[in-house]
Amino acid sequence: DSTIVTPIILRTDPQGFFFYWTDQNKETELLDLSLVKDARCGRHAKAPKDPKLRELLDVGNIGRLEQRMITVVYGPDLVNISHLNLVAFQEEVAKEWTNEVFSLATNLLAQNMSRDAFLEKAYTKLKLQVTPEGRIPLKNIYRLFSADRKRVETALEACSLPSSRVEKANKAAKSEQSCGKAPPKHFHLHFIKQNKMFESACYCFFVRCFGIGTI
């Protein structure tokens, strides 16, 4: 029912965990492929009926619009579903994407991955949603593991990565220094600058938080 057309370049990560694209606000949006229930193209896709919307979508006039439409059906179950409607520049591209997406969505091995694969999936999600400077926002980590914030904070601190507690201690130390007082010893913390995370450090975080693998 949307009347907004947004030009995007749709991508998927090498492991096939997510769709992702960048919107006009330079923010990356994700769609977990494990939530996809169906992928349709051609006459089975949802083509818009509004003439103005069709005119906006019919860029290049390369083939019929209906044949270039892709509809991705996704949701937590078969009742609560949503639709993502896409338009490719060529009919062949629409067919190829539809077939590959449906293949990934119906892959039983992808639905029953190992524990290490799920950790890699979580790490992939963090790497896809980075800032323009290429850094992982701290809020994304807490959002990913929202069920146990204290455990995440403890794991971040153990790996010398930024956390809310470390940042508060750092601000307090700076405040003490600005008043001309020497900061207490417990403020001498070793940590990496906020949002600046390296792959090895982030891997250590997962190990510390969940006890997976070795350091």
Side-chain angles (χ1 to χ4, degrees), residues 18-201:
F18 301 98
F19 274 158
Y20 66 97
W21 62 92
T22 304
D23 60 16
Q24 301 298 311
N25 297 323
K26 304 298 182 181
E27 294 183 359
T28 301
E29 297 188 31
L30 298 175
L31 175 59
D32 192 337
L33 281 171
S34 65
L35 299 178
V36 174
K37 306 303 180 187
D38 193 12
R40 310 163 184 169
C41 69
R43 62 188 182 90
H44 300 290
K46 295 183 67 175
K49 297 180 180 180
D50 186 2
K52 293 183 178 180
L53 186 57
R54 290 178 64 90
E55 184 179 352
L56 291 173
L57 290 173
D58 200 7
V59 180
N61 297 319
I62 306 175
R64 294 181 57 193
L65 177 62
E66 285 76 6
Q67 298 301 320
R68 295 186 284 114
M69 291 289 302
I70 305 172
T71 296
V72 179
V73 184
Y74 65 96
D77 50 52
L78 294 175
V79 178
N80 302 296
I81 58 174
S82 301
H83 297 84
L84 176 65
N85 297 307
L86 307 162
V87 181
F89 281 108
Q90 298 178 356
E91 295 181 16
E92 293 76 13
V93 175
K95 292 179 181 179
E96 182 178 3
W97 270 87
T98 302
N99 293 335
E100 294 299 329
V101 170
F102 187 78
S103 177
L104 289 172
T106 56
N107 186 352
L108 294 178
L109 293 178
Q111 300 292 335
N112 298 276
M113 297 187 299
S114 64
R115 184 173 59 175
D116 290 346
F118 274 109
L119 288 176
E120 184 181 3
K121 181 177 180 178
Y123 181 45
T124 300
K125 185 175 182 179
L126 290 176
K127 290 198 299 180
L128 292 178
Q129 293 182 307
V130 296
T131 63
E133 294 79 20
R135 298 176 178 178
I136 299 175
L138 189 62
K139 63 180 180 180
N140 288 357
I141 296 180
Y142 288 120
R143 190 181 303 160
L144 188 63
F145 306 104
S146 58
D148 197 344
R149 184 183 177 93
K150 290 184 178 180
R151 188 176 183 182
V152 174
E153 286 183 346
T154 303
L156 288 169
E157 291 178 14
C159 299
S160 299
L161 291 171
S163 68
S164 60
R165 290 186 295 197
V166 171
E167 290 303 316
K168 289 178 182 177
N170 183 46
K171 289 180 181 179
K174 288 183 178 180
S175 177
E176 290 288 342
Q177 288 178 337
S178 64
C179 294
K181 300 178 181 179
K185 291 183 179 180
H186 64 273
F187 283 130
H188 289 272
L189 301 173
H190 174 69
F191 63 94
I192 302 174
K193 187 177 180 182
Q194 185 176 8
N195 294 342
K196 187 175 182 181
M197 302 182 181
F198 301 98
E199 289 196 4
S200 57

